[in-house]
């Protein structure tokens, strides 16, 4: 059994609470499966910035490259300008390691109450292009402080970048319900978005079992609120994918449960797994953070590392703890971060003892933690 070397960056704010919670669960899972995980912790982020004037050391990417995967919590602090913290850590990792797919599942979970009246189950995969688009360094500021002060920000779409995101999304759709929705704004954004539409359309033609709908993002956002159960796979540019996945997670109940995988599908570089949420400084240090997004990201990491059974075990455990009413306050539950984590560890053990199928409500797996 080879050991997977995982680089851990808890980062800022609630990252420091949800990462240890998820690692506690991953370590218990590793004791029960033929999985060996070595976690190497890197204290990078806004505290590191306060001391060193940068978010990670100059050779940070080289240090990370020694690992098979990166497990990240959250980035952002009121003490560091947002663009500085994001472009000093997360974005260089995504780009240098060619993590061009940001896969963001949006799914209803028992125990997480959706604000929607409808009880239709929601199960969407959002494929966010992760290396280009609106997140670009091209642009600048001029005439600072003058009445005609100017800011220019260029969007970059390349055929390679759009096509590889579309390929990934279309092949996912082909393995699911065969419905792919592409987010566009080609009525208003007259150069880049029609190009996006053309490349997505050309690429999807190679997948005869996939039906492509190109939808203006404003209408798509409204549909994501009004009838989210009709979506299967959504492919979107960097910015639009970010916005739609925050919206999607709110529609299913809480951004606290939303996971993501920043993937280099070729495996040439480590992939990175992180919850969709940020550092939430307003609730940091209070034991209020929901660790489900981080745990679910951990399950995605296990799957990526070739351990689907271990991933499924972890997934069943946090779903069971939620279903049994042990959720954190953001999902209407009574638990602190550590109480919920204890409930998930207990559920892992019950599922191990009685099997996934038998670990039903009667077994009250999560309840074991609080008794
Ligand atoms: N959990 C990762 C995190 O802290 N993300 C903060 C953020 O602002 N991300 C922006 C992005 O993903 O584009």
């Amino acid at each position: 059994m080879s050991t997977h070397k995982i680089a851990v960056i808890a980062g800022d704010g609630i990252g420091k609470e949800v990462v240890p919670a998820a690692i506690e669960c991953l370590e218990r899972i590793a004791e029960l499966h033929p999985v060996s995980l070595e976690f190497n912790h890197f204290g990078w982020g806004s505290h590191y910035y306060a001391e060193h004037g940068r978010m990670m050391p100059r050779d940070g990417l080289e240090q990370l490259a020694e690992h098979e995967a990166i497990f990240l919590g959250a980035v952002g602090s009121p003490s560091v300008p947002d663009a500085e913290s994001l472009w000093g850590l997360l974005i260089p990792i995504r780009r240098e390691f060619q993590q061009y797919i940001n896969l963001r599942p949006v799914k209803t979970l028992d125990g997480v109450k959706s604000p929607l009246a409808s009880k239709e189950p929601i199960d969407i995969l959002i494929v966010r292009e992760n290396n280009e688009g609106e997140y670009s360094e091209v642009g600048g500021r001029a005439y600072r402080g003058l009445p005609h002060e100017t800011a220019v920000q260029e969007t970059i779409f390349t055929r390679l970048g759009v096509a590889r995101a579309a390929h990934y999304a279309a092949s996912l759709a082909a393995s699911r319900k065969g419905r792919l929705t592409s987010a566009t704004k080609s009525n208003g954004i007259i150069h880049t978005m029609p190009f996006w539409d053309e490349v997505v359309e050309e690429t999807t033609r190679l997948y005869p079992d996939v039906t492509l709908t190109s939808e203006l993002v404003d209408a798509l956002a409204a549909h994501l609120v009004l009838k989210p159960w009709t979506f299967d796979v959504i492919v979107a540019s960097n910015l639009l994918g970010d916005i739609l996945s925050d919206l999607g997670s709110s529609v299913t109940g809480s951004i606290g449960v939303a996971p993501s995988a920043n993937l280099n599908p070729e495996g040439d570089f480590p992939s990175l797994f992180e919850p969709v949420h940020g550092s939430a400084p307003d609730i940091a240090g209070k034991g209020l953070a929901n660790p489900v997004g981080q745990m679910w990201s951990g399950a995605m990491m296990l799957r990526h590392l070739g351990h689907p059974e271990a991933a499924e075990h972890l997934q069943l455990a946090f779903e069971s703890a939620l279903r049994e009413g042990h959720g954190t306050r953001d999902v209407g539950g009574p638990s602190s971060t550590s109480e919920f984590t204890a409930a998930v560890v207990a559920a892992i053990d019950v599922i191990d003892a009685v099997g996934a199928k038998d670990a039903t409500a009667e077994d009250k797996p999560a309840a074991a933690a609080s008794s």
Side-chain angles (χ1 to χ4, degrees), residues 150-169:
T150 307
V152 177
Q153 174 83 49
E154 300 289 354
T155 294
I156 313 281
F157 283 145
T158 64
R159 180 169 288 280
L160 171 79
V162 179
R164 64 191 181 179
H167 268 298
Y168 191 92

Side-chain angles (χ1 to χ4, degrees), residues 117-168:
S118 169
K119 296 281 172 284
E120 290 264 11
I122 301 165
D123 181 6
I124 307 168
L125 286 177
I126 297 184
V127 176
R128 169 188 178 188
E129 197 294 313
N130 210 31
N131 278 178
E132 53 180 49
E134 305 86 348
Y135 281 47
S136 129
E137 284 171 290
V138 181
R141 296 268 295 265
Y143 311 117
R144 283 180 192 251
L146 296 177
H148 53 293
E149 185 170 359
T150 307
V152 177
Q153 174 83 49
E154 300 289 354
T155 294
I156 313 281
F157 283 145
T158 64
R159 180 169 288 280
L160 171 79
V162 179
R164 64 191 181 179
H167 268 298
Y168 191 92

Side-chain angles (χ1 to χ4, degrees), residues 230-246:
T230 62
F231 291 100
D232 181 14
V233 178
I234 296 174
V235 64
S237 65
N238 211 331
L239 177 66
L240 300 189
D242 190 38
I243 296 169
L244 291 173
S245 49
D246 270 37

